[in-house]
Amino acid sequence: MTLIFYIPIQLAPKTLLSWFIKDVSLVSQGVAPFRILFSTYILLGFLIMAITLMQSLGKASKASVLVMLRQIVLFIPLAIIMPMIGGLGVTGVFVAPALTDLIVVIMAVFMVASVFRGLTKQEV
């Protein structure tokens, strides 16, 4: 499902931005940040499934950890820190959500793997 949005954003960001922004120079400046912002969008489907899995298995605390990490614990500090790192400036603000999503998805992979290992042990 995310491919429906991900592919056009990555292949034609200028066209998509021009639907909302009429200033051509502003659209040109926004292409790279727009791609960065949506670079991890394709991973969000897995994250939503991982959170739903945790909730459905009665592991709401694990689901809450993933949600809180993504929304508050990682995103806010990264949005503040990334513009100061390596001279990223404004681009750092767009890198922050992508980096947050990447970190949280990696954590979700380990959590899901742990849950599946636990399920297979219960069946034996």
Side-chain angles (χ1 to χ4, degrees):
M1 185 74 175
T2 55
L3 278 174
I4 294 169
F5 298 100
Y6 181 77
I7 291 173
I9 288 170
Q10 295 303 322
L11 294 180
K14 201 170 200 174
T15 303
L16 290 170
L17 284 173
S18 66
W19 291 350
F20 303 100
I21 303 169
K22 298 303 174 200
D23 185 349
V24 176
S25 66
L26 198 55
V27 169
S28 295
Q29 291 175 356
V31 168
F34 192 60
R35 277 189 171 141
I36 291 168
L37 182 66
F38 284 95
S39 62
T40 55
Y41 186 76
I42 194 83
L43 302 174
L44 294 183
F46 174 79
L47 182 59
I48 291 167
M49 288 191 303
I51 291 168
T52 303
L53 173 71
M54 298 301 167
Q55 290 172 336
S56 66
L57 294 175
K59 300 180 183 306
S61 60
K62 287 187 177 188
S64 297
V65 166
L66 292 174
V67 171
M68 294 298 286
L69 280 172
R70 183 169 185 263
Q71 300 295 328
I72 298 171
V73 175
L74 290 174
F75 175 68
I76 293 173
L78 284 173
I80 294 168
I81 294 169
M82 291 307 293
M84 296 181 242
I85 294 177
L88 286 174
V90 174
T91 303
V93 175
F94 293 97
V95 170
L99 185 58
T100 299
D101 289 342
L102 186 63
I103 292 168
V104 173
V105 165
I106 290 169
M107 292 181 69
V109 166
F110 285 108
M111 284 183 177
V112 168
S114 171
V115 165
F116 281 146
R117 276 194 303 272
L119 290 175
T120 56
K121 287 178 186 177
Q122 288 177 357
E123 291 177 352
V124 173

